[in-house]
Amino acid sequence: MNHDRSHALFSRAQQLLPGGVNSPVRAFKSVGGEPFFVQRADGPYLYDVDGNRHIDYVGSWGPMIVGHNHPAVRAAVEKAIGDGLSFGAPCPAEVTMAETITRLVPSCEMVRMVNSGTEATLSAIRLARGATGRQRIVKFEGCYHGHGDSFLVKAGSGMLTLGVPTSPGVPAGLSELTATLSYNDFEGATRLFEEIGHEIAALIIEPVVGNANCIPPREGYLQHLRELCTKHGALLIFDEVMTGFRVALGGAQAHYGITPDLTTFGKIIGGGMPVGAYGGRRELMLQIAPAGPIYQAGTLSGNPVAMAAGLAMLELVQAPGFHERLSEATASLCEGLESAAREAGVPVTTNRVGAMFGLFFTDQKVETYAQATACDIAAFNRFFHAMLERGVFLAPSAYEAGFLSSAHDAAVIAATIEAARGAFGAVAR
Ligand code: PLP
């Protein structure tokens, strides 16, 4: 593959953008090499500026569940832009969006639209703190909730690590308020709540971890957290920015049958435009300004073009059997990858929930963050590049979930598995 134009663009970009990118993982730092620059995207494919075609399992990090450049989403956006780009006053599509979200995710009786997943989680935490009058929050090792200060707290391997900032710039006084737990550890959560439960405003969790590769909850784990939060008067926040409308139409909460107090969304609800949202029980949401005293606002929130894109996408994912078909496609991809790895003698296991999956270079079933980080990362990095050479783009990090779209048909999956045969062979050598 020729990458001359991408290389030239990356050289220019590095002079002007920190690391040459506008979001860190795009820079290929953990896998090595340089990113390609995308000219256009269609269905399951990205086309780079050098004319190379890539089967895409990143899907813009989640939104593109109906494939890139879907004609119905594009048409909705084109229609919306004919009426103007931003009004700064209420518009009808915001109401339709709120009706759609609250119908599909019944734990959300009211919602507030924002512009990113980060804004959604920041706002949900502020609401939780304001509503409970408590300050501490709990998050999980390996869970990512955007780049808000309170979430950039390093997770320790023990039950509880208090106050170690991951990023310079996060005030210690704030990070001390974030406690971290090991995902899928029942006992650790129980102990933490026994110790400081009365001080906890909220526990926030990716119900299926998608930011430490892909780790589903153990049987009963989310229920256990629900019970702890209820018992100790803390709010349970499901961060469904990634899982929402992806692992099931009603998100992970529908898939596992757990009702959180608050939910955060992003990605799919924007159809590829910059959108986030948070929602929950009416009495909680009524505490948000201007209905209540907890302040949160946005110049472009509820933007008409973004609402049109998101609504068009949410319409498509409601087609009967949509998620079942995606789940089956994801299963066939994972089985194909595992069998290709076996043929090459490379130890690999997979996890999947709905249309998200993880590929681990280990012979173990991965259920914890510690297991995910103990995998053979060097082997993943070799596999990543071997796949890229064969026209398949996986997330450029061993710690990201993969995403399928409805445009990934049987032929695309078969082509991916064929590429994987060669790529696993290259890893084994
Ligand atoms: N929450 C989760 C679970 C995410 O995966 C992400 C982003 O990947 C975010 C929050 C932050 O969303 P955004 O990047 O739109 O700010």
Side-chain angles (χ1 to χ4, degrees):
M1 269 187 201
N2 181 332
H3 292 294
D4 290 350
R5 288 186 174 163
S6 278
H7 177 68
L9 277 164
F10 195 50
S11 302
R12 278 167 60 201
Q14 281 174 301
Q15 301 305 313
L16 301 163
L17 303 165
V21 291
N22 281 310
S23 194
V25 76
R26 294 181 198 167
F28 278 33
K29 266 200 133 168
S30 65
V31 290
E34 288 187 355
F36 58 86
F37 280 64
V38 178
Q39 185 71 47
R40 67 187 182 88
D42 202 57
Y45 303 114
L46 295 175
Y47 296 86
D48 70 28
V49 289
D50 290 288
N52 305 306
R53 191 185 80 173
H54 309 265
I55 299 177
D56 179 24
Y57 287 97
V58 179
S60 192
W61 301 95
M64 295 306 172
I65 195 164
V66 295
H68 290 284
N69 203 12
H70 191 286
V73 179
R74 202 175 59 234
V77 169
E78 283 168 357
K79 185 164 180 295
I81 61 178
D83 291 330
L85 299 184
S86 178
F87 306 141
C91 71
E94 294 170 86
V95 186
T96 314
M97 177 60 89
E99 283 167 351
T100 307
I101 294 174
T102 53
R103 176 167 53 79
L104 298 178
V105 186
S107 74
C108 293
E109 294 171 344
M110 298 185 94
V111 291
R112 167 61 61 85
M113 303 307 299
V114 292
N115 302 293
S116 67
T118 295
E119 264 189 69
T121 55
L122 285 174
S123 308
I125 288 295
R126 181 176 306 143
L127 171 54
R129 285 180 165 145
T132 59
R134 300 174 178 183
Q135 295 202 337
R136 283 186 192 267
I137 63 163
V138 180
K139 74 174 282 289
F140 290 80
E141 221 175 0
C143 281
Y144 177 69
H145 303 291
H147 60 86
D149 284 349
S150 293
F151 305 119
L152 293 184
V153 173
K154 193 175 176 181
S157 58
M159 177 199 88
L160 163 66
T161 305
L162 279 177
V164 185
T166 292
S167 167
V170 177
L174 190 60
S175 59
E176 276 161 15
L177 297 175
T178 302
T180 59
L181 284 170
S182 295
Y183 183 85
N184 269 338
D185 173 11
F186 285 69
E187 262 305 294
T190 308
R191 280 202 303 273
L192 176 70
F193 273 82
E194 273 165 9
E195 222 174 283
I196 58 165
H198 60 288
E199 295 176 23
I200 297 173
L203 175 146
I204 185 165
I205 187 167
E206 288 181 71
V208 177
V209 183
N211 285 290
N213 207 324
C214 176
I215 312 176
R218 284 182 174 140
E219 175 88 40
Y221 189 60
L222 297 175
Q223 180 62 33
H224 179 62
L225 298 177
R226 173 67 279 179
E227 285 162 13
L228 285 174
C229 285
T230 304
K231 181 173 167 197
H232 293 274
L235 299 183
L236 176 64
I237 305 176
F238 273 9
D239 180 352
E240 298 233 39
V241 167
M242 194 180 274
T243 53
F245 312 101
R246 173 168 286 280
V247 300
L249 181 56
Q253 55 196 273
H255 187 78
Y256 294 106
I258 307 294
T259 307
D261 300 297
L262 294 172
T263 304
T264 54
F265 300 101
K267 303 192 191 274
I268 288 174
I269 52 162
M273 302 291 286
V275 179
Y278 62 104
R281 283 202 312 279
R282 185 175 302 277
E283 104 263 5
L284 287 171
M285 294 304 291
L286 283 173
Q287 302 195 39
I288 298 291
I294 300 171
Y295 197 70
Q296 186 272 308
T299 299
L300 296 176
S301 296
N303 173 270
V305 183
M307 294 301 97
L311 282 170
M313 192 166 285
L314 290 180
E315 191 64 42
L316 292 167
V317 303
Q318 291 178 66
F322 179 87
H323 289 90
E324 288 74 9
R325 283 193 297 279
L326 263 182
S327 246
E328 281 161 24
T330 310
S332 85
L333 174 70
C334 288
E335 283 156 19
L337 290 174
E338 284 189 5
S339 95
R342 256 194 317 275
E343 282 164 27
V346 179
V348 156
T349 60
T350 61
N351 281 340
R352 66 185 163 81
V353 183
M356 71 195 259
F357 69 94
L359 181 72
F360 300 91
F361 283 81
T362 174
D363 54 7
Q364 292 176 18
K365 181 172 165 49
V366 174
E367 297 187 338
T368 65
Y369 175 69
Q371 282 177 299
T373 50
C375 290
D376 187 344
I377 304 303
F380 170 81
N381 291 350
R382 290 201 301 280
F383 181 70
F384 168 84
H385 282 291
M387 288 296 269
L388 196 60
E389 279 163 24
R390 289 164 176 79
V392 180
F393 181 47
L394 302 170
S397 157
Y399 300 120
E400 302 285 349
F403 299 120
L404 257 80
S405 81
S406 51
H408 290 72
D409 60 15
V412 169
I413 290 172
T416 306
I417 294 167
E418 191 48 41
R421 283 205 182 89
F424 282 126
V427 170
R429 277 198 293 279

